């Protein structure tokens, strides 16, 4: 049952679908340009890959594999990996990247997340990192990830939290400036505004709600705190590396205890077998 608040956030235009398969999404793949960004992106990768329980012989699906770097890393650890990505341009980048990789490389499949071209129970784990908010049908994609993952396997979602401490603090500061001090509204995208290539504004409640329809959640992890707060981002860049690292780890520890406030959320669990996840035979 959706709460009215969650239902409101889920409102979106029916029948909206971006089918520009030639779209270059490389600009939406985050790159660590500041010390706190670098920390959060590394942390996101490490936590996501760990939650798939990687290892030799594991069959793992990377949904929205982007450049394919995560799939390549898991394959290098001995897993058998498939990267699924709809954009032809991203696939071209991926093939270039996997051409540079040594050893065996993942299998690349062009596919939307909500219509995965795999039989039921094909994988030991399926993950989607930093991409679900770009999907126009994220709930269907989650159902698909659960369907193609075997019972007892892992479904892992990693996503930015738009109700983080950072978003709340930035919004409060803007409210003071704009409403209290009557300063003109800031132009451009604010930290807590979702970019316009996102369909959904995720927070812990909404992620739990969408994932729990198809997955028995047993892992909720909050990563990083205060990422992108202007004063903090500038300060951490000037701190000696060891000090900065200690503080970033300390904030990360707090995020781990209060995931609702964390910058990034990792949720995982094993697939439920219900009507929406037991295959209808279409892709078998
Ligand atoms: C921000 S990138 C993330 C890529 C990768 N997971 C990473 O962590 O670097 C988002 C990716 O989602 C893909 N994407 C967008 N809509 C999708 C959909 N409906 N199904 C599957 N992938 C989609 C885009 O093509 C893009 O490569």
């Amino acid at each position: 049952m959706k709460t009215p608040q969650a239902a409101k956030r889920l409102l979106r235009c029916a029948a909206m679908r971006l089918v520009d398969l030639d779209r270059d999404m490389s600009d939406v793949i985050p790159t660590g340009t500041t010390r706190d960004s670098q920390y959060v992106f590394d942390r996101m990768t490490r936590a996501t890959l760990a939650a798939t329980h990687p290892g030799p012989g594991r069959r793992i699906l990377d949904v929205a594999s982007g450049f394919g770097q995560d799939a390549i890393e898991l394959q290098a650890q001995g897993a058998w990996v498939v990267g699924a990505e709809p954009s032809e341009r991203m696939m071209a980048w991926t093939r270039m990247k996997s051409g540079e990789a040594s050893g065996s490389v993942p299998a690349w499949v062009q596919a939307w997340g909500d219509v995965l071209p795999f039989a039921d129970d094909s994988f030991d784990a399926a993950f989607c990192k930093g991409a679900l908010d770009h999907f126009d049908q994220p709930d269907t994609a989650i159902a698909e990830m659960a369907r193609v993952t075997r019972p007892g396997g892992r479904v892992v979602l990693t996503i930015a939290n738009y109700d983080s401490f950072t978003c709340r603090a930035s919004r409060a500061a803007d409210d003071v400036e704009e409403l209290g001090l009557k300063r003109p509204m800031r132009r451009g995208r604010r930290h807590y505004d979702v970019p316009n290539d996102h369909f959904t504004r995720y927070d812990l409640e909404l992620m739990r709600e969408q994932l729990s329809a198809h997955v028995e959640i047993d892992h909720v992890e909050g990563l990083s705190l205060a990422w992108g707060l202007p004063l903090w981002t500038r300060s951490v860049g000037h701190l000696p590396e060891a000090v900065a690292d200690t503080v970033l780890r300390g904030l990360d520890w707090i995020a781990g205890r209060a995931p609702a406030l964390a910058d990034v959320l990792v949720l995982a669990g094993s697939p439920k077998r219900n009507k929406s996840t037991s295959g209808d035979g279409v892709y078998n």
Side-chain angles (χ1 to χ4, degrees):
M1 190 67 169
K2 291 179 179 57
T3 61
Q5 204 193 2
K8 219 185 318 169
R9 280 197 302 268
L10 280 169
L11 279 179
R12 57 174 183 240
C13 302
M16 206 161 173
R17 163 65 103 194
L18 294 176
V19 283
D20 180 6
L21 294 177
D22 194 33
R23 192 159 163 225
D24 186 348
M25 296 287 283
S26 52
D27 57 331
V28 300
I29 309 260
T31 43
T33 47
T34 59
R35 194 177 255 167
D36 57 338
S37 295
Q38 189 60 58
Y39 181 87
V40 79
F41 299 140
D42 288 349
R43 190 71 182 85
M44 221 168 142
T45 302
R46 299 278 74 79
T48 307
L49 301 194
T52 66
H53 299 172
R58 293 270 289 175
R59 298 162 301 160
I60 302 181
L61 173 65
D62 180 357
V63 175
S65 48
F67 285 128
Q69 75 284 358
D70 298 328
I72 290 171
E73 183 171 337
L74 287 173
Q75 181 90 16
Q77 292 174 24
W80 179 79
V81 188
V82 176
E85 164 61 49
S87 156
E88 265 162 27
R89 288 198 63 187
M90 292 309 287
M91 289 300 265
W93 282 107
T94 299
R95 292 205 176 89
M96 219 164 77
K97 217 172 169 44
S98 62
E100 293 161 7
S102 55
S104 76
V105 289
W108 306 113
V109 174
Q110 192 174 12
W112 293 100
D114 49 289
V115 206
L116 292 172
F118 309 107
D120 297 1
D121 308 341
S122 296
F123 297 94
D124 298 307
F127 72 97
C128 179
K129 179 181 132 246
L132 201 68
D133 39 16
H134 293 274
F135 292 16
D136 54 332
Q137 300 186 57
D139 27 17
T140 314
I142 296 169
E144 279 291 88
M145 290 173 70
R147 180 185 65 77
V148 303
T149 304
R150 66 163 171 81
R154 308 295 296 156
V155 176
V156 180
L157 296 180
T158 301
I159 204 83
N161 175 19
Y162 277 89
D163 197 29
S164 62
F165 163 75
T166 316
C167 290
R168 295 180 201 198
S170 309
R171 187 189 290 274
D174 283 353
D175 284 351
V176 169
E177 288 217 5
E178 290 160 18
L179 305 174
L181 305 175
K182 305 281 182 232
R183 297 229 172 98
M185 205 187 291
R186 210 147 37 90
R187 293 176 70 92
R189 189 170 83 80
R190 297 161 302 184
H191 189 95
Y192 46 89
D193 293 331
V194 288
N196 50 18
D197 54 7
H198 286 202
F199 282 92
T200 312
R201 178 188 195 92
Y202 276 103
D203 60 21
L204 182 55
E205 187 199 356
L206 183 57
M207 273 197 77
R208 264 191 209 279
E209 184 181 304
Q210 288 193 351
L211 188 61
S212 63
H214 310 286
V215 168
E216 208 63 67
I217 300 172
D218 58 31
H219 179 98
V220 175
E221 193 177 359
L223 312 177
S224 161
L225 202 75
W227 167 39
L229 272 183
L231 193 62
W232 167 236
T233 297
R234 277 197 300 274
S235 321
V236 74
H238 292 113
L239 291 174
E241 198 170 333
V243 178
D245 201 50
T246 306
V247 181
L248 287 164
R249 281 171 197 270
L251 291 170
D252 195 70
W253 184 88
I254 298 170
R257 263 96 214 133
L261 300 178
D263 295 317
V264 173
L265 298 164
V266 183
L267 273 75
S270 52
K272 288 178 181 169
R273 280 290 170 258
N274 54 28
K275 259 213 305 218
S276 57
T277 47
S278 61
D280 53 14
V282 175
Y283 308 109
N284 288 318

